[in-house]
Amino acid sequence: MQDGIPMPLTALSFRLNGDSVTVDCRPSERLTHVLREQLALKGTKVGCDAGDCGACTVLLDGAPVCACLVAAGQVTGREVVTIEGLAKCTTYGRSLQAAFLRHGAAQCGICTPGMLMAGAALLEHDHQPDEQQTCDALGGVLCRCTGYRKIIDAVMTATQATVAPALPASGAAVGARVERLDGAAKVMGTEIYGADHWPPDALVAKAIRSPHHRARFRFGDLAAFIADRPGLARIFTAADIPGENRFGALPAFVDQPVLADNEVRFKGEAVALVVGDAAAIADLDPATVPITWEPLPALLDIDAATASDAPRLHQGRPGNILVRGRVVRGDVEAGLANADVTAEARFETGFVEHAYIEPEAGYAERRGDRITVAACTQSPYLDRDETARVLGLKPEQVRIVPTAVGGGFGAKLDLSVQPFIALAAWLLDRPVRMTYTRPESIMTTTKRHPSLITIRAGATRDGKLSALDLSGDFNTGAYASWGPTVANRVPVHASGPYYVPNYRALTRAIHTHIVPAGAFRGFGVPQAALAQEQIYDELALKLGLDRLEFRIANALSAHQPTVTGQVIGDGVGIRDCLEALRPHWQRALGDAETFNAQHDISKRGVGIAGMWYGCGNTSLANPSTVRIGLKPDGRIALHQGAVDIGQGSNTVIPQIAADALGLPLALFDLVSADTDLTPDCGKTSASRQTFVTGKAAELAAADLRRQLLRLANAGEAAEISLDGSALTIADGELQRRIDVSTLPPGRFGYVLAAEESFDPPTAPLDADGQGIPYAVYGFGAHMAEVEVDTELGTVKVVRITAAHDVGRAINPLLIEGQVEGGVAQGIGLALMEAFTPGRGENLHDYLIPTAGDMPPVVSILVETPASVGPYGAKGIGEQALIPTAPAIMNAIHHATGVRTYRIPATPDVIRHALLAKQRETGFPSRPV
């Protein structure tokens, strides 16, 4: 647009994926827009529109470029290759796609097209790149899921001749390194994410958001504003919401308005929704919408929010305290008094942004008295119920169809675009779509809770823990989100996976005028682990004990009570994890000693940290339901609503079902999450899907197997096979063959069908937090090796060795990917990630690890089965993150002798600590 007049369209010609194309567009148009909106090539993803994430990488005359930074006019007469043309137009494109599947390099898949394009460009010039060359080539593309290691391996091995592995035979699926069953669409660029599909006549919605942390507001003449702007259809406000203007993840804490009414409580809160055609919305300046703002004093930190004269964000919540958590066991005061050594400290962590590469997106369409919402989400049934509340409908009038999810980690448990597009589509009776910009996503979606944790612990001379006392405040922001879950989960876990006879953990979730904090891979446990594992290091050092051996000596056993009094019984593998690290620990300590003797400025350190994590909800109902059916053509339909956000449920759940049924995985057709088609499998959160939904799948498949065996009056040990519609059941020497296509259809239209639910056995916690909060716990321990530049304060993570007790490794390939991805996020938490509300709302200023930041990761899978889980399996998704950051912090202390109590340990924080120690001692810091 020039002087308020749109630039004229121009016919631009170029070669695209080997063919000549001509498109009418403005020369200044972003190439991403031309590719996606005009040429319908949706494989090129948009994660930031600023050249920061690299998801939109394409090849321009063979060179990788960010298509969002290329003007359409710049490609005239040139060659453009997108993911759709990768196999056709590059030498190693097809083999690179196969390598990504073979190595498990595509998880959520949103960055995968960009990674493939960057990797293919490298391979055109160097057929056998080394690791440094590969990291350099991939450095401009961000990934939040994989931890990069499998991507690096895939690129480095793509030119090697390999044979694609066959799917496992009957009875051999569990434990096999099965490639993702949904992986092909991810590497081909055909997977459909929230911003990739909508009805052709869809309008576009844009939220108008507060520029203030807290303010009252009033609208001017909105009708006149719309009338003066052709292309705009309507502006919606709180007064237009037909149902309840509130939503929330937890039934007792439904407190966040869809559109604020009279007062906003955080910067970025939505006050209105403008809907119109795409061009009108693109040209809309939100600042021109007639709103008068009256800024009010805001509470921006915990201390301000809990002051005696602080204004109340919510009525009936004294001191702005949303909720308290409490677990008390034994006599903590006596335990500390009887300790031979004690250690105490106060730790502070800040906001951490989820930074998934896919911004929130979706569309809604009204069909009579029902509405369909297709969007990226981790919780379809929760979305259904919340959307119905907002629209004043019955839940069955709302259909939620989850798209592929380009990363979630907890933030996509909460509603984002869903109530906006549903409201507009319902009232306008037109399809409506919406995609958040990157600044909008970072500004308004939930974060990891900032925390202030004070901890004191004691141990006896023989190296046994005697007591731990912890108090923690968590900044939950303006609304509840998952604050109650964090406040209640942390006290259960803050002992770590150790036997602590005397224990007290008290927590508070506190409201401020900040963007809500919610779920983020661990529900507060990573913050607690940063405190508890560093204080345990201090105890070991004071006792003169090896830090690993101190943890082994205190590791929880199967028959010792946890801090909630629960005796877990089978499936307690923390000691095995720690002992698996022993040889690596001894080697690393020796390497550090040798390195430090040879270097004056750079110092190497080694750190250790343990973890445990309860799979599923804390002492609450947590069921999943799975349906499985035999079709007349002899194939198996598996209806499982566990949303796959990259963790692999679309592959792992079928593996479990296949072995429970006794048929090959190749016979299965997956019916993925859809509230009209799949039963409720609960939220994809709390590392519950492999355990809970996996168990429901095992039960359903076992029931279907029993029905099949009854057809032949065969025993439980009989073998089942299907060849098309021909079913053969062999029981010893007896065989019976049945043509299933001749059987009458039954329940759900299948020849035979089964539906089973599983709800983990738990028990409520009493006033002191005593009870059975989880049926299954995952355990693990990480060892970090770091190098610290003592002059600059910079930290390089040299290697992470990660041992995890997963119960049973259903798919080791995918578990390794979860571990590596968790490690990457743990590195970010420890060293670089800090979000300041109101600033840095982009992926340029908000730093996450790149391929060059990621060290080698050695994964050690420990299998200590939990009998209640499917084939003994537990979860892994959230556990993988928890021990990385504290292990790094302990390694920094080992390297330098200084400990930082504010996380992340950025170079300025470390340098400040080093200078303080130097002033205190008069000597430069040295390893301890």
Side-chain angles (χ1 to χ4, degrees), residues 752-799:
L752 294 172
E755 183 172 297
E756 293 289 339
S757 299
F758 175 68
D759 191 1
T762 63
L765 301 183
D766 65 18
D768 280 333
Q770 300 300 292
I772 303 175
Y774 312 103
V776 162
Y777 296 78
F779 296 89
H782 287 189
M783 185 189 79
E785 300 169 66
V786 306
E787 288 177 16
V788 182
D789 186 314
T790 57
E791 287 191 348
L792 299 177
T794 56
V795 178
K796 176 185 178 182
V797 182
V798 177
R799 184 184 290 105

Side-chain angles (χ1 to χ4, degrees), residues 230-315:
L232 295 186
R234 186 167 170 183
I235 296 182
F236 297 95
T237 69
D240 296 307
I241 292 176
E244 299 180 39
N245 184 22
R246 62 191 182 97
F247 66 92
L250 300 169
F253 300 93
V254 179
D255 62 353
Q256 185 166 351
V258 176
L259 295 169
D261 190 5
N262 299 319
E263 182 177 325
V264 291
R265 290 176 173 161
F266 71 93
K267 185 175 182 180
E269 186 167 7
V271 300
L273 187 73
V274 186
V275 181
D277 62 46
I281 293 296
D283 291 339
L284 175 68
D285 179 0
T288 61
V289 176
I291 305 174
T292 301
W293 299 98
E294 179 190 348
L296 299 170
L299 307 173
L300 302 182
D301 57 52
I302 290 172
D303 291 337
T306 53
S308 59
D309 59 346
R312 299 292 178 259
L313 274 76
H314 295 266
Q315 296 299 317

Side-chain angles (χ1 to χ4, degrees), residues 43 174 216 325 773 893:
V174 169
R216 280 190 285 267
H893 181 266

Side-chain angles (χ1 to χ4, degrees), residues 619-817:
S619 292
L620 294 173
N622 191 23
S624 281
T625 302
V626 168
R627 181 185 308 147
I628 187 169
L630 173 62
K631 297 190 283 188
D633 63 359
R635 294 193 62 80
I636 306 298
L638 178 63
H639 294 248
Q640 68 92 8
V643 177
D644 194 327
I645 61 174
Q647 85 283 11
S649 59
N650 283 345
T651 303
V652 170
I653 307 302
Q655 285 181 259
I656 293 169
D659 278 9
L661 181 56
L663 286 171
L665 187 58
L667 289 178
F668 278 70
D669 296 325
L670 182 65
V671 181
S672 294
D674 180 327
T675 57
D676 272 13
L677 301 179
T678 56
D680 187 2
C681 282
K683 303 175 290 295
T684 294
S685 68
S687 296
R688 62 177 297 280
Q689 292 295 17
T690 294
F691 167 45
V692 183
T693 299
K695 187 65 176 182
E698 182 186 31
L699 295 172
D703 184 16
L704 181 58
R705 176 180 172 83
R706 285 190 291 271
Q707 294 180 48
L708 290 171
L709 295 177
R710 281 198 295 269
L711 289 176
N713 196 28
E716 292 183 5
E719 294 183 0
I720 302 171
S721 62
L722 277 163
D723 183 6
S725 64
L727 169 68
T728 300
I729 300 175
D731 190 1
E733 295 182 357
L734 300 176
Q735 284 193 353
R736 182 176 179 186
R737 291 180 175 85
I738 302 169
D739 184 352
V740 299
S741 67
T742 65
L743 299 177
R747 193 180 179 198
F748 307 117
Y750 298 121
V751 171
L752 294 172
E755 183 172 297
E756 293 289 339
S757 299
F758 175 68
D759 191 1
T762 63
L765 301 183
D766 65 18
D768 280 333
Q770 300 300 292
I772 303 175
Y774 312 103
V776 162
Y777 296 78
F779 296 89
H782 287 189
M783 185 189 79
E785 300 169 66
V786 306
E787 288 177 16
V788 182
D789 186 314
T790 57
E791 287 191 348
L792 299 177
T794 56
V795 178
K796 176 185 178 182
V797 182
V798 177
R799 184 184 290 105
I800 297 288
T801 306
H804 282 276
D805 167 27
V806 298
R808 176 73 186 277
I810 302 295
N811 188 323
L813 177 67
L814 302 190
I815 292 173
E816 291 165 0

